[in-house]
Amino acid sequence: MPLIERPLTQNIRPGQEPPDLRAYERAGGYEGLRKALTLDPKTVQDWVTRANVMGRGGAGFPAGHKWASVPMGPEAARPKYVVVNADEMEPGTMKDRLLMEGDPHQVIEGALVCAYAIQADVVYIFLRNEYKLSEQRLCKAIAEAYASNYAGPKVLGSPWSVELRLHTSAGRYMCGEKSGILNALEGKRAIPRAKPPRTAVSGLWGKPTVVNNVETLANVHHIIRHGWEWFRSLSHTEEGGTKLYGVSGPVNRPGVWEMPMGTTVREILEGCAGGMRPGHTFRGLLPGGASTPFLTEEHLDTRMDFASMHQIGSQLGTGTMIVMDDKTCPVGLLYGLETFFARESCGWCTPCREGLPWVARTLEAIEAGHGKPEDMEVLDSHVKFLSGHNTFCELAPGAMMPLKSALKAFRADFERHISEKRCPWRTG
Amino acid sequence: MLSVAERLEIEAEAAPAETKRSVASDALKIVQRHRGWVCDEALKDVAALLGLSPAELDSVATFYNGIYRRPVGRHVILLCDSVSCWIMGYNPLRERLESRLGIGLGQTTADGRFTLLPTACLGLCEQAPALMIDDNVHGDLTPEKLDQVLENYA
Amino acid sequence: MTTLHVDGKTYTADTAGRNLLEVCLSLGLNVPYFCWHPAFRSVGACRQCAVKVFKDEKDVRGRLEMACLIPVTDGMRVAIDDPEAVAFRAKVIEWLMVNHPHDCPVCDEGGECHLQDMTVMTGHVYRAYRFSKRTHRDQDLGPFVNMEMNRCIQCYRCVRFYRDYAGGRDFDVHGWHDHVTFGRHEDGILESPFSGNLVEVCPTGVFTDKSLKHHYTRKWDLQTAPSVCPHCGLGCNTFPGERYGTLRRVMPRYNGEVNGYFLCDRGRYGYEFVNSRNRIRRPLQRDHTGPVEVSKEEALALAGTVLQSRKVIGIGSPRASLEANFALRALVGPDRFYHGVTDKELRLVRTLSALLKRGQARTPSLREVESCDAILILGEDVTNTAPLLELALRQAVLQKPKADALKLGIYEWLDECLREAMQDQRGPMIVATPDRTALDSLASRTVRAAPADLARLGFAVAHALDPTAPPVPSLTPDTLALAEGIAAALRTGRRPLVVSGYGCGSEAVAEAAANVAWALCRTGSTASLCFTVPECNSMGTAMLPGESLDAAVAEISNGTADALIVLENDLYRRAESGSVETLLGARQVIVLDHLAHVTASRATLVLPAATIAEGSGTFINNEGRAQRSFQVFVPPDDIQASWRWLAELMPHSTRPWKGLDDVLAALADAVPAFKEIPDIAPSADFRLTGQKVPRQSSRYSGRTAMTADLSVQEPKPPVDLDAPFAFSMEGSRAHPPSSLIPRFWAPQWNSVQAVNKYQFKTGGALRDGDPGRRLIEPPEGEPTPYSVSIPAAFVARPYRCLVLPAWHIFGSDELSLHSPGIAARAPGPYVALNPVDLGRLGLAEGQAVTLSVGVASRVCSVIVAPDLPVGVARTPAGLPGLPALALPAWGGIAAVGGHSPPASQHAAGVPPVAGNEQDAHTATENTNATSGSPGERGGAP
Ligand SMILES: Cc1cc2nc3c(=O)[nH]c(=O)nc-3n(C[C@H](O)[C@H](O)[C@H](O)COP(=O)(O)O)c2cc1C
Ligand code: SF4
Ligand code: FES
């Protein structure tokens, strides 16, 4: 049993002010950064690689590998950047907010350790506009970090200097995409970028850049402080650490909890969230935000980690699940969801820009009782074509995840809408 | 013409930035904080200040939903229409809002009090359904609670 | 060479630096696309070019890839016809059609629409989308480009061309999701001088040619032939298109070495002079009763009498074909032929061509300019003197950062990624000019100086590069340091380039530029030297022996001649009115030209001459590239090519010329420099698979009906004696040699994108080589000696200004000004002054003043040019209705109604405004105060 079981949330007291710098330090804060500064940057990268931290922003890319592909040494292009992806706009996701509101220094320390590991010169925290409380608390924490020389010139007397900046978004889901965020920071339209080059080589202003999710980074100073073996031991699976799992929807206790990586869906749904509210029957859930495929009853004992979710044809995504009950019309739900995706398409590539509105309008028609049998073909073909490499970025394939699985799991509901020319959930 | 305050704030924002362009959206938000929205004239002034052409800046301005290129009401309601809220009662909430205010999504009340806009998930999923008015969030709403909330915004 | 397998067939291709889409298109395979463009390449937005790619022979599933985004690897297996790829591509078109209006019948693009072609190619026929379409408001973008935003398919090409490739900043993409629009921030004239290219860059009918709207014709109903733009000295290749005897539009004709895919707006929209109401259509005889129309025979007889009974001299023209100038020379005799330009201009252009021939710095084609990586512009505002050169230089400044970015492993076709990696980095480009230029914003350094000082700077740079180049006496330390800085910047280039030309009207500036290029060559760089020239055949005519207009004036005034033939030339635009009066005072004046102008109004006989679209001929551009332009249509009435008029005037017994080929043969024979000219395009007897090349498309409609109001009998198409083209749709459909391509078309490719089918490589040369032939190559062997005559520093004078010509892309060219759109954009008469001069002359911005140079004067309004050196003024060159000014020259500026102080006040000891007048010019001031040309040294080089 490891010393600390819930490193990410140990300082978080919901409803209270977050720990200030002194309180954070008293709880061992900035020890990770201090220790990192005594290590070679490559060693820090190496520990994070061994800890096997999978990116918590949704894609599950190992953070250590990402860092290791940044050019190092005196020849490397400067400045280098770390971008903390705090844009959290994935529907159904509220975990990064918890971290930023509850323990902002932890996020900052993680970002600084990352910055040290890749010898970055500037850290940008890219925060979504609506997170006003996070903004306030991060601002204060940043000022404190500067005041104590955790950031700024010659950090803690080391030769390494780093700038820490908070950027608040002007809105758009695409700003959270790993290259859209760079364009947004450059003051451009947040459209995605093509590869190669990888961001690690040519990112922000064409310079080496690491983009990581808030939660991903919140882990790393713990890894440095307590070692990667410890970190791995927190998890039930190969993927290291704990995970912030969330549940929203008609459950008894909606919320966010830190649990070992690989906790099963059922443990979270029933254990943490207290199961379905009385009078509501479970029909399915989106395991990690809106861009993941529906899970149904038979999947509930699956572990919530990237690999296990992948195995059953779903995705961990952000790990914050949305539960759908029998009182919710899946067609209506999908209509709302696809309208969101259509609205948030950046307009760059054809399939996403033109396909998503078509899907949304078709769903709207079906939901309103104007569906036609051919509409099912329209939906199926979009699911098929808006996938994989066919679009420029992952937005549209993500949008098809819930639809594809819903067309399978709840097909009869769609067909009933069409044949009955009405929404069976709508009374009167 | 930009006010002195607007200009100073924008310049302060731009001073430490890597490129002037990178504060494009920040500068527009500053203008918006002062005026509620970004009119053509202000857009041109900001563009000149940042070394951009009006077309370039408007390209950015019209991309982001947080920049208003048309006048808005005194209070902007951002109604979360994402999945958790949808399940937990977005539709009744929206209907209540629309009937109380007499406007649809994207519209402003005749008295200029409220503008109603849809927004992506507000990250308040555990308190769904939720909305945001100006800088304040309101969760666990019901159509009844909504009425009380609206009272606070004159 | 790489081997790849496409749809089961094996191909080998040179794939270096090219993506799969480019390779497939180059192999002649049909892969649909939208966002990729051969000049600005891939971004992967439209997703139309999807193909299946298989890992190896065993891989049967494969994976959909966007062909424009991936490299070609050896042994690669690709399926264009894979069912999944076919289905996906059909889906992409279906998506694009979701919002595209079905308005092809009323759309200007119809019949040459890439979207139509691709829709047919992908087999999308049935529309499943059953909801309403989105609509947009259109903008008024000025006289050139029409907008119909509802047709947009969001391929982003327009903004990538306008903003990224051409550097325009008043056009961008707005909005998001399926509501993105492309245009200006508000209604208004598109500022970029390359805006017209949106017409072809846009794959559908959003941006169309507004001038065409006034006399609309479908592409297939246009009669076209390969032509050359007559509106500047770059010789861009064009396709003028005619219907019912009027010219309807001009499109760029791809030439990999010259204009590539593009044209400037002067070249595209300048054509309407051909349709002008001021056209001279029939011979006119003028006697004391006024002008009367005469028949062609009468005209020939009249002219014949003049030629027999008078001492006739001929005056040529740099805007007429080589053939026309040569025919005139042959008619009047070589020693009685004079160039249609002043001594000053002739000397300047001859200096330019001599410098190109003399030194080891090669004159680059525009394509080669694009690949230069360190640039010095000396004295030239290229946007206004050679517009497409600006576009080429915009690409050139990216060479260096691009080379750095490629080291990051970016594919060179990934346009957006390259631009991200390059950010705002630009290679070295020094813009040293008298006043601001459009390229300043890209310059690593700008220098503002008077021509003499620009020349001195250039000489100093050359000396800094190579100590054996002549040093510049009495340089200030600042200038010395500047010169060394410029030299160092140029040395960093692998392919440095020096640009100069006629803009300053100074031979010294050109010589200095040449010295810089030569010094670079001598110290081990492969430097190029690019000169602009004023007109479409300035270079060609300068290569013809003959003296200038000034000498012709002498002939007339001393009575050795008493009649003259003026070829395509309004002499009032060339020389001071006094000299012109002398010339036109000849007993008989025969003028051949297109448009009624002052010179023509003074002629005793006027002969209607064909425009570039109505006759065939040869033009030599600034690069020394001889290019043939072919007649597009048979002009109405008695209009014919000038050379043909002149040939018909030759005595019957000696008249040897039936067609263009005869003229060319004689020319090659008479002038050794033009030996190769006959070979630059096939002769009139050339046949393609036994037939002529049709000027009309196979779908040309209404031929039997279009003259039915005159006669029910279908007239026999006219016969072209000069070229292997038919004025009809009959003829060979095979691909002709590149110089004879009458339009780009291929089965399934009705839009300009068909040009891919005429190249071995997308963006490369046309299949049998780009048309035209370079007549100037650097000499082998010993390096030539440097130019050594270095002018003294510029010294401002009291009460006078050195008046420089301000060239304007819209306004300075004579012919294009007859197009309403161009005229609308031409400046009014102005004089630009530095604020210091404004103060010292007691003038205010906007004030009306009289600018006098020599005996000529112009009323204009004052504008402030803060960058202009003190003592220097600029005024638009070439505006009509104003006396010609032989600029640069010293001039006086006085408030309208006021007086400028007499020169004697200077002699009386009024202190000079700046500097001290120690230069050679001061001595001549009092004797020749008004017509000195201080930009240059006296005497021919
Ligand atoms: C449309 C779209 C929106 C995204 N939004 C976010 C986001 O708000 N926050 C986030 O951390 N990752 C987001 N991602 C995932 C990022 O692309 C990226 O994978 C992540 O930030 C990388 O960090 P990680 O490796 O630490 O997870 C988004 C991806 C897509 C395609
Ligand atoms: S206007 Fe034309 S070029 Fe521009 S995006 Fe639309 S279709 Fe493409
Ligand atoms: S041409 Fe390849 S994606 Fe557009």
Side-chain angles (χ1 to χ4, degrees), chain C residues 721-807:
Chain C
L721 298 174
D722 306 325
F725 286 104
F727 290 107
S728 75
M729 51 204 279
E730 278 86 25
S732 173
R733 298 282 155 203
H735 275 199
S738 60
S739 54
L740 297 184
I741 297 169
R743 80 192 62 78
F744 292 118
W745 181 87
Q748 301 191 62
W749 297 79
N750 296 291
S751 79
V752 284
Q753 319 274 335
V755 66
N756 295 330
K757 301 283 176 192
Y758 291 76
Q759 299 158 325
F760 285 123
K761 277 184 182 183
T762 55
L766 291 170
R767 288 207 171 162
D768 59 339
D770 288 313
R773 183 167 303 183
R774 285 169 57 98
L775 301 185
I776 300 177
E777 291 295 348
E780 309 263 321
E782 282 300 292
T784 34
Y786 286 109
S787 303
V788 293
S789 21
I790 298 167
F794 172 75
V795 179
R797 299 184 186 179
Y799 312 115
R800 308 198 74 72
C801 281
L802 175 61
V803 185
L804 301 180
W807 301 97

Side-chain angles (χ1 to χ4, degrees), chain C residues 352-671:
Chain C
L352 298 175
S353 88
L355 290 170
L356 294 182
K357 285 186 202 138
R358 216 170 88 198
Q360 57 273 63
R362 197 165 173 275
T363 152
S365 67
L366 284 179
R367 162 58 60 90
E368 286 160 343
V369 166
E370 288 177 6
S371 61
C372 293
D373 56 2
I375 298 142
L376 169 64
I377 299 177
L378 200 63
E380 206 60 18
D381 175 8
V382 296
T383 311
N384 290 304
T385 59
L388 222 63
L389 181 56
E390 179 199 313
L391 198 60
L393 288 167
R394 284 185 178 277
Q395 315 317 314
V397 290
L398 298 177
Q399 284 306 316
K400 204 160 228 162
K402 198 183 262 180
D404 292 339
L406 291 178
K407 290 184 199 138
L408 299 175
I410 303 173
Y411 300 133
E412 62 180 279
W413 60 79
L414 270 187
D415 184 59
E416 202 71 27
C417 293
L418 268 182
R419 289 183 195 274
E420 274 308 327
M422 295 191 289
Q423 292 286 322
D424 291 333
Q425 297 173 65
R426 302 285 176 266
M429 176 164 78
I430 296 96
V431 179
T433 47
D435 203 354
R436 293 181 184 171
T437 75
L439 282 173
D440 289 357
S441 57
L442 295 182
S444 49
R445 172 151 223 170
T446 56
V447 180
R448 296 284 108 93
D453 291 338
L454 291 173
R456 288 168 61 82
L457 176 65
F459 281 113
V461 172
H463 181 69
L465 285 163
D466 176 8
T468 70
V472 180
S474 48
L475 268 191
T476 64
D478 283 355
T479 314
L480 201 62
L482 179 62
E484 270 158 11
I486 295 173
L490 292 176
R491 251 192 226 109
T492 63
R494 283 192 19 245
R495 309 183 60 176
L497 166 71
V498 184
V499 176
S500 190
Y502 71 95
C504 280
S506 160
E507 285 159 64
V509 168
E511 286 174 356
N515 267 18
V516 176
W518 297 345
L520 283 162
C521 287
R522 285 212 202 176
T523 52
S525 301
T526 26
S528 358
L529 177 60
C530 177
F531 283 141
T532 64
V533 295
E535 281 165 86
C536 60
N537 213 6
S538 292
M539 192 60 104
T541 47
M543 287 161 88
L544 266 184
E547 286 189 69
S548 75
L549 206 51
D550 306 48
V553 177
E555 291 273 326
I556 299 285
S557 61
N558 67 21
T560 32
D562 60 358
L564 74 160
I565 304 179
V566 183
L567 171 67
E568 300 183 23
N569 208 333
D570 180 2
L571 300 177
Y572 285 94
R573 290 180 63 93
R574 302 283 176 191
E576 282 193 287
S577 53
S579 325
V580 181
E581 292 301 328
T582 310
L583 279 169
L584 299 181
R587 301 288 292 272
Q588 293 288 337
V589 178
I590 302 175
V591 168
L592 297 96
D593 214 337
H594 328 307
L595 292 160
H597 45 56
V598 195
T599 305
S601 73
R602 300 280 307 274
T604 46
L605 179 64
V606 182
L607 302 177
T611 62
I612 191 135
E614 297 154 339
S616 298
T618 307
F619 297 83
I620 300 180
N621 77 353
N622 68 317
E623 178 200 353
R625 178 182 296 264
Q627 305 190 100
R628 188 95 75 241
S629 177
F630 288 99
Q631 184 175 1
V632 175
F633 67 106
V634 180
D637 308 319
D638 294 328
I639 297 171
Q640 60 178 353
S642 292
W643 62 260
R644 185 156 259 131
W645 278 114
L646 296 164
E648 287 177 5
L649 282 174
M650 293 179 186
H652 272 281
S653 51
T654 59
R655 192 160 94 202
W657 302 341
K658 289 205 174 54
L660 192 74
D661 291 324
D662 301 325
V663 192
L664 287 167
L667 172 65
D669 217 31
V671 186

